[in-house]
Amino acid sequence: MRKPYIAGNWKMNMTPSAGAAFAHDLAEAAKKAGADVKMMVAPPFVTIPAVVEALKGTGIIVAAQNMNDHKSGAYTGEVAPDMLKDLGVNTVILGHSERRSYYKESDEFINKKVLLAIEEGMDVVLCVGETLEERESGKLEEVLSTQLSGDLKDVKAEDMCHITIAYEPVWAIGTGKTATPEDADSAHAFIRSFVAKMYSADIAENLIIQYGGSVNASNVKALMAKENIDGALVGGASLSVEKFLPIITFDK
Ligand code: 13P
């Protein structure tokens, strides 16, 4: 059984004080509602310490949205994995489409970060997904295969338990257009079968695959009902208790 894993990617939102207050309210609301999914929030770097403090003892995971591909050194403006770990952060989102497109992150570069995260004992939420143009030209499977084989290169089978995949079709992010549950499920099924070929049926079976792209209170149930959809990576709707609570309690 794959336990549902619901995550909120705050992107470049929430100052430390706003993030701490929101995290506190979210944890209270989740507890009151009896939410029993695996839950994660990913604040901006500077907001992380305040959110870690606010969520102490709640079981809600605090993740980073990115990290550098080196352990330390002359990389102005960057954040190293051990800095995150020192704050109590052991999970990192890598390969988000906004980083791929705005900051030109390649699969080779993302792979370096994935390998470093694993070496540092961290868990990774690895984002993959196609643009509308790629989908419409029939390249969905080709794009996912290239991303998965490139980003997971040299990741050992025994480390795959530290990897969660987030399928986020670029055209569905922040647009209000969600993939239909059927389309999302078939992309997830493809990812699972590709991982089975790269590794084993067993690893693929246990792999958590989140869907991301305009997930909200009204579409989460139908998405989560699909066989291959094990969770959600939520952007906009993770920024208020009112919108995020129905998502983390989709099974109530
Ligand atoms: P939205 O939920 O705002 O579409 O964002 C999805 C996303 O990119 C999460 O990482």
Side-chain angles (χ1 to χ4, degrees):
M1 257 313 266
R2 300 185 291 264
K3 188 176 172 75
Y5 184 7
I6 309 281
N9 174 8
W10 293 1
K11 306 192 179 182
M12 200 173 72
N13 297 289
M14 300 273 185
T15 59
S17 51
F22 169 58
H24 173 267
D25 292 350
L26 179 65
E28 292 275 291
K31 192 174 166 196
K32 206 165 145 198
D36 58 6
V37 297
K38 178 174 174 182
M39 228 177 121
M40 175 266 260
V41 294
F45 287 132
V46 297
T47 300
I48 287 176
V51 173
V52 166
E53 184 60 33
L55 293 180
K56 233 172 223 158
T58 63
I60 300 174
I61 297 163
V62 182
Q65 300 172 16
N66 182 33
M67 64 173 213
N68 192 255
D69 60 322
H70 293 87
K71 288 187 179 185
S72 66
Y75 301 100
T76 301
E78 291 293 299
V79 171
D82 69 348
M83 297 169 186
L84 298 171
K85 290 198 300 180
D86 194 61
L87 293 173
V89 169
N90 286 300
T91 303
V92 61
I93 297 174
L94 294 174
H96 193 281
S97 71
E98 285 149 19
R99 298 216 57 88
R100 290 177 190 263
S101 66
Y102 303 150
Y103 306 104
K104 307 285 173 264
E105 292 198 4
S106 64
D107 288 314
E108 201 182 350
F109 184 57
I110 294 162
N111 177 241
K112 281 181 75 183
K113 299 196 208 193
V114 170
L115 292 173
L116 180 58
I118 285 170
E119 186 188 331
E120 293 285 329
M122 298 174 78
D123 292 334
V124 173
V125 175
L126 172 66
C127 305
V128 296
E130 81 290 0
T131 62
L132 189 57
E133 196 189 347
E134 288 163 341
R135 174 171 276 260
E136 286 178 344
S137 56
K139 292 201 180 123
L140 170 64
E141 296 191 351
E142 185 187 324
V143 170
L144 293 178
S145 312
T146 304
Q147 291 175 338
L148 290 168
S149 54
D151 302 347
L152 294 175
K153 187 167 175 276
D154 296 333
V155 173
K156 296 191 186 83
E158 72 242 39
D159 291 322
M160 281 302 288
C161 56
H162 296 293
I163 304 279
T164 293
I165 302 289
Y167 169 64
E168 298 205 311
V170 179
W171 48 272
I173 296 177
T175 57
K177 281 188 212 158
T178 328
T180 63
E182 292 67 31
D183 282 347
D185 191 52
S186 90
H188 284 220
F190 175 77
I191 292 168
R192 207 179 294 288
S193 69
F194 194 82
V195 168
K197 269 187 262 157
M198 269 182 93
Y199 293 96
S200 70
D202 203 37
I203 285 172
E205 181 58 32
N206 288 309
L207 180 73
I208 299 288
I209 310 177
Q210 298 173 325
Y211 168 78
S214 298
V215 174
N216 59 39
S218 5
N219 58 30
V220 65
K221 266 195 193 13
L223 286 162
M224 290 300 295
K226 289 293 177 190
E227 188 187 338
N228 285 292
I229 303 182
D230 312 312
L233 183 56
V234 186
S238 74
L239 295 171
S240 79
V241 174
E242 187 198 351
K243 290 186 178 158
F244 201 42
L245 188 65
I247 299 176
I248 56 176
T249 54
F250 75 91
D251 54 350
K252 300 280 168 214

